[in-house]
């Protein structure tokens, strides 16, 4: 397709993309709006993979830190199961807007999805489907950011889009400081050196070592997803 820069793109979503701002759970209207934005990315011509978090339902690290009963590894698996629930909801939302989709999970649930392998993902890409990658890495102590970076390497994605509700990475928290400036381009090393909270260090290392750029943008601004897929400057580009 004319103007297409990236053949394959992985979109990283927070679980909160499926609920109202400040809310929790799954809101059908919010899920449908997110599905429409993913459909927009598919229509740009790239193969689209999606990794979604589970924070709208449960955060493993938070549960572990607030309870002596649940150890971190068990809490992390609970969080990974939350991403399976979100992936199933997002898949159905995509189908409702006529965007074909499938869920592949590191923690497969036979009635809902199939196990993730790179070969299985390739099969669904060839069928023209968005591939939603659930269950994290399948191991505790890793974030969904790290899952996104790992899966991007495995499926040979050319770009990771961290789709948020803000315009990109800022010099400071723009909510706390109205003078904060949007950073248009920055390196992974600068992110680490300045301790900017974008993605965790494990994920950044994977991206840097495999030469996969990351673009942080506001997915709810019209055209942003398409611009990213086509290689246009939107939001913040993070690269080696």
């Amino acid at each position: 397709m004319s103007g297409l820069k990236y053949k394959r793109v992985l979109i990283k979503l927070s679980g909160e993309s499926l609920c109202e701002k400040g809310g929790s759970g799954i809101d059908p209207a919010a899920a449908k709006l997110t599905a429409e934005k993913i459909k927009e990315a598919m229509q740009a011509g790239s193969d689209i993979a999606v990794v979604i978090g589970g924070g709208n339902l449960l955060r493993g690290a938070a549960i572990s830190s607030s309870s002596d009963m649940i150890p971190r590894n068990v809490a992390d698996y609970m969080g990974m199961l939350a991403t399976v629930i979100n992936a199933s909801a997002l898949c159905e939302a995509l189908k409702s807007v006529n965007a074909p989709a499938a869920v592949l999970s590191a923690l497969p649930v036979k009635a809902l999805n199939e196990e993730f392998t790179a070969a299985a993902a390739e099969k669904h890409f060839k069928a023209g489907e968005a591939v939603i990658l659930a269950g994290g890495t399948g191991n505790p102590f890793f974030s969904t950011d790290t899952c996104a970076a790992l899966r991007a390497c495995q499926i040979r994605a050319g770009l990771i889009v961290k789709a948020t509700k803000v315009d990109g990475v800022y010099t400071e928290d723009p909510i706390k400081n109205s003078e904060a400036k949007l950073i248009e381009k920055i390196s992974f090393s600068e992110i680490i050196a300045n301790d900017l909270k974008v993605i965790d260090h494990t994920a950044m290392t994977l991206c840097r070592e495999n030469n996969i750029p990351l673009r942080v943008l506001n997915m709810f601004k019209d055209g942003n997803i398409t611009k990213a897929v086509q290689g246009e400057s939107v939001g913040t580009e993070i690269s080696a």
Side-chain angles (χ1 to χ4, degrees), residues 58-131:
L58 182 151
R59 293 187 184 276
I63 284 183
S64 177
S65 64
S66 64
S67 170
D68 294 331
M69 180 183 73
I70 303 174
R72 174 65 187 273
N73 64 313
V74 174
D76 280 356
Y77 278 114
M78 293 167 65
M80 284 184 261
L81 288 171
T83 73
V84 174
I85 294 171
N86 279 343
S88 297
L90 180 59
C91 185
E92 295 308 312
L94 282 163
K95 291 176 182 177
S96 77
V97 297
N98 298 312
V103 178
L104 302 180
S105 178
L107 299 174
V109 179
K110 189 175 181 180
L112 293 174
N113 53 51
E114 61 184 285
E115 185 172 5
F116 168 80
T117 65
E122 199 67 41
K123 176 187 70 175
H124 288 290
F125 286 136
K126 288 181 178 178
E129 298 171 321
V131 178

Side-chain angles (χ1 to χ4, degrees), residues 114-168:
E114 61 184 285
E115 185 172 5
F116 168 80
T117 65
E122 199 67 41
K123 176 187 70 175
H124 288 290
F125 286 136
K126 288 181 178 178
E129 298 171 321
V131 178
I132 307 167
L133 304 169
T137 65
N139 297 285
F141 304 103
F142 292 98
S143 71
T144 49
D145 281 341
T146 296
C147 170
L150 175 62
R151 295 292 184 248
C153 295
Q154 291 175 294
I155 66 172
R156 304 189 306 278
L159 175 71
I160 297 174
V161 172
K162 185 161 185 176
T164 71
K165 296 178 181 179
V166 297
D167 290 337

Side-chain angles (χ1 to χ4, degrees), residues 4-10 45-49 118 121-122 125-126 152 154-160:
L4 185 67
K5 181 174 181 178
Y6 299 104
K7 173 67 176 87
R8 187 163 293 169
V9 175
L10 186 145
S46 291
D47 295 335
I48 298 298
E122 199 67 41
F125 286 136
K126 288 181 178 178
Q154 291 175 294
I155 66 172
R156 304 189 306 278
L159 175 71
I160 297 174

